Amino acid sequence: MTITITAFERSPDGGQGLARDTRVRWALEEVGQPYEVRLVSFKAMKEPAHLALHPFGQIPTYEEGDLALFETGSIVFHIASRHPGLLPLDANARARAITWMFAALSTIEPPILELTNAKLLESDQPWAAERWPIVGDRVRARFGPLSVRLGDREWLDGDFSAGDLLMVSVLLRARRSGILDEYANLAAYVARGEARPAYRRAFDAQAAVARSAP
Ligand code: GTB
């Protein structure tokens, strides 16, 4: 059955791979599933046809036969559940990998989003410069314990899993701030994720969209 995902017609990051379709592309590449991409404009995202797929008018979405999903975490979990390669077979190891998926999205990503918003959306506010160190420290408060837990492991818990896929994707969003590089093992972990052939294919595919954008 054909899998179709949606992505920005013109990503605001110009192809740096930070939009969330990259996470879904990466998961599909890891499990070797072919997929098609429907590019959507910001206008089309808020129109009824897309809102029927995504109630909040965002990307990515995922369609496969009569199944339509939104929310990147749910999409990656669906892919990892249906195809071998992203979740361990052992029930306890699988539960721990899923825990890391949640940790990436609900514990690590929120302060990174706060930092991104402070830098990108609030930089013209008179209080912006005072706020940056505060939100930066909130990111560090999560990166410190994550760095300790990762230690010198290659991946968070055994083999590479969907937990690592989401964690690396989330951490990537902090690189521009410089904070990721304060934690050498986290920076090396992200680099290992980026070096995976499946990530490279996903990255290149989304970058090609940016290059050919009208
Ligand atoms: N919780 C949802 C999920 O995980 O799928 C969040 C989806 C989401 O935020 N989608 C964004 C979107 O559609 C694109 S990924 N935004 C348009 C809108 O809301 O109208 C977030 C994103 C956007 C841009 C960059 N960038 O330019 O660097 C990075 C990430």
Side-chain angles (χ1 to χ4, degrees), residues 7-8 10-24 40-42 45-46 50 54 56-61 70-75 105 109 113 116 120 166 173 176:
F8 282 134
R10 187 190 285 266
S11 179
D13 74 351
Q16 289 178 61
L18 299 175
R20 286 181 173 88
D21 60 289
T22 304
R23 304 174 187 190
V24 176
V40 285
S41 65
F42 277 93
M45 267 188 270
K46 308 302 175 196
H50 189 75
H54 196 307
F56 309 112
Q58 297 183 309
I59 60 98
T61 58
F70 62 98
E71 281 299 333
T72 313
S74 166
I75 296 169
L105 299 178
E109 189 162 39
L113 289 180
T116 310
L120 296 182
L166 288 178
R173 294 197 68 179
R176 216 169 6 188

Side-chain angles (χ1 to χ4, degrees), residues 12-14 16 18 112 115-116 119-120 171-181:
D13 74 351
Q16 289 178 61
L18 299 175
I112 297 174
L115 182 69
T116 310
K119 292 271 180 193
L120 296 182
L171 293 175
L172 267 168
R173 294 197 68 179
R175 184 151 63 191
R176 216 169 6 188
S177 72
I179 297 177
L180 181 65
D181 288 331

Side-chain angles (χ1 to χ4, degrees), residues 53-131:
L53 290 172
H54 196 307
F56 309 112
Q58 297 183 309
I59 60 98
T61 58
Y62 176 100
E63 293 157 82
E64 184 182 13
D66 56 8
L67 174 69
L69 296 175
F70 62 98
E71 281 299 333
T72 313
S74 166
I75 296 169
V76 170
F77 179 65
H78 170 75
I79 295 166
S81 301
R82 293 284 168 100
H83 306 281
L86 283 173
L87 285 175
L89 294 178
D90 173 77
N92 285 356
R94 195 177 180 89
R96 291 195 303 273
I98 293 167
T99 299
W100 281 115
M101 295 176 70
F102 278 88
L105 299 178
S106 62
T107 298
I108 303 294
E109 189 162 39
I112 297 174
L113 289 180
E114 211 184 339
L115 182 69
T116 310
N117 287 341
K119 292 271 180 193
L120 296 182
L121 306 179
E122 300 163 357
S123 59
D124 55 347
Q125 298 296 324
W127 38 260
E130 276 178 73
R131 184 161 150 73

